[in-house]
C-alpha cells in the first residue's frame, strides 16, 4: 500500500522542521486525521522535487504532498483545498466563499507576520542550516531583502512590526478561542504556521503566558495530542 508523504524543510539536523508553509500542511493533514510520513528536505535538494511539476530547479519548493494514489500537490493553501475536495469530512476551508476569506488570512500572514518574524529570527535560522544550504539561503534572502542578513536582522524592530501586525488577530481572539471560531480550522493553521518558525529556532518564547495570542498558540501547540508542541526545538539539538 502506498504511503502518503510530505516533503518537509529541515535544518542541518533533520529533526528540525521550521518551515511555516510545511507546518500549515502538516496541521491540515492532522486536522483531517490522515496518516502521513515526512521526508526531510534541504533548500539545495532541488533535484529531489523534479517529480512535483514545479518547473525549473529554482522554482521547486516545499511542501510537496504525494497522496496514496500518487496525486502530487504543491503549495500549502492548495494542499488544504485538495484535502477538502478529496476528504470532505472535517472541512479545513469550508465553502467557496469561506475559502476566499481564508485566502485573505494566507496573504495577511505572509505579508505581515513573515517579515516581522524574519527580522527577529533570520540569523538563528541561518545558524541552524546545513552547510550546503547556507550560501543558497544567504544569496536568495539578501537578494529579496536588498541587504545582508546581518543588516536585515533587527529583533526590536521585528517585535514592533509583529505587535502591529497582530492587532486584528488579537481582536478576533478576544471574541473566540480560534480564528475559525470554537474549534481550529484552516485559517488558524495558515497563520499559526508562521509561529512554528520562532518556536523551533529561538530559545525564548515570543509571548507571555497571559497574552491572548500566546494562549491561542498554546492551544494549537497542544492540538492533535501535542503534535506541534513535540516538534524538535533548537534547545533539543547540538549546534
Amino acid at each position: 500500500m502506498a504511503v502518503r508523504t510530505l516533503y518537509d524543510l529541515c535544518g542541518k539536523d533533520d529533526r528540525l522542521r521550521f518551515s511555516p508553509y510545511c507546518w500549515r500542511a502538516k496541521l491540515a493533514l492532522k486536522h483531517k486525521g490522515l496518516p502521513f510520513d515526512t521526508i526531510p528536505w534541504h533548500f539545495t535538494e532541488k533535484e529531489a522535487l523534479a517529480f512535483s511539476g514545479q518547473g525549473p530547479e529554482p522554482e521547486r519548493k516545499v511542501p510537496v504532498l504525494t497522496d496514496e494514489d500518487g496525486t502530487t500537490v504543491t503549495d500549502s493553501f492548495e494542499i488544504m483545498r485538495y484535502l477538502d475536495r478529496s476528504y470532505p469530512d472535517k472541512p479545513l476551508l469550508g465553502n467557496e466563499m469561506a475559502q476566499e476569506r481564508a485566502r485573505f488570512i494566507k496573504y495577511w500572514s505572509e505579508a505581515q507576520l513573515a517579515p516581522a518574524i524574519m527580522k527577529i529570527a533570520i540569523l538563528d535560522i541561518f545558524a541552524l542550516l546545513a552547510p550546503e544550504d547556507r550560501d543558497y539561503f544567504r544569496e536568495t534572502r539578501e537578494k529579496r531583502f536588498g541587504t545582508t542578513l546581518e543588516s536585515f536582522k533587527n529583533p526590536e524592530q521585528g517585535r514592533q512590526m509583529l505587535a502591529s501586525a497582530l492587532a486584528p488577530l488579537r481582536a478576533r481572539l478576544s471574541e473566540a478561542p480560534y480564528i475559525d471560531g470554537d474549534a481550529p480550522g484552516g485559517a488558524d493553521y495558515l497563520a499559526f504556521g508562521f509561529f512554528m518558525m520562532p518556536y523551533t529556532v529561538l530559545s525564548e518564547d515570543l509571548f507571555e503566558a497571559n497574552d491572548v495570542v500566546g494562549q491561542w498558540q498554546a492551544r494549537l501547540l497542544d492540538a492533535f495530542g501535542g503534535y506541534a508542541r513535540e516538534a524538535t526545538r533548537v534547545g533539543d539539538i547540538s549546534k
Side-chain angles (χ1 to χ4, degrees), residues 28-165:
L29 287 161
K30 284 291 182 178
H31 179 99
K32 291 289 187 178
L34 298 171
F36 64 98
D37 291 339
T38 61
I39 300 174
W41 179 84
H42 295 91
F43 280 114
T44 51
E45 294 178 333
K46 303 291 188 179
E47 182 59 31
L49 302 182
F51 71 94
S52 66
Q54 294 183 81
E57 288 192 359
E59 298 176 10
R60 297 173 191 166
K61 302 174 183 178
V62 291
V64 175
L65 173 69
T66 300
D67 209 347
E68 292 177 332
D69 65 356
T71 300
T72 297
V73 191
T74 63
D75 181 86
S76 57
F77 192 79
E78 292 306 315
I79 288 172
M80 288 187 182
R81 295 183 68 222
Y82 166 78
L83 293 176
D84 271 353
R85 291 193 304 271
S86 300
Y87 306 95
D89 289 346
K90 302 178 183 177
L92 286 157
L93 302 174
N95 61 29
E96 193 65 30
M97 289 180 64
Q99 283 190 35
E100 296 311 308
R101 288 191 291 268
R103 194 182 295 275
F104 171 81
I105 299 295
K106 159 187 158 61
Y107 290 132
W108 165 76
S109 61
E110 292 168 3
Q112 299 296 316
L113 299 182
I117 290 170
M118 290 297 279
K119 280 279 185 184
I120 298 168
I122 193 164
L123 289 183
D124 300 273
I125 296 168
F126 182 75
L128 293 165
L129 295 178
E132 61 269 26
D133 282 352
R134 290 178 182 171
D135 286 347
Y136 170 86
F137 185 83
R138 179 178 288 279
E139 179 182 349
T140 55
R141 272 55 183 177
E142 289 184 349
K143 182 178 179 180
R144 181 185 304 172
F145 301 139
T147 188
T148 64
L149 301 184
E150 290 75 12
S151 295
F152 180 80
K153 180 174 180 177
N154 189 328
E156 181 178 353
Q157 182 186 22
R159 288 180 182 276
Q160 292 172 353
M161 292 167 60
L162 187 60
S164 177

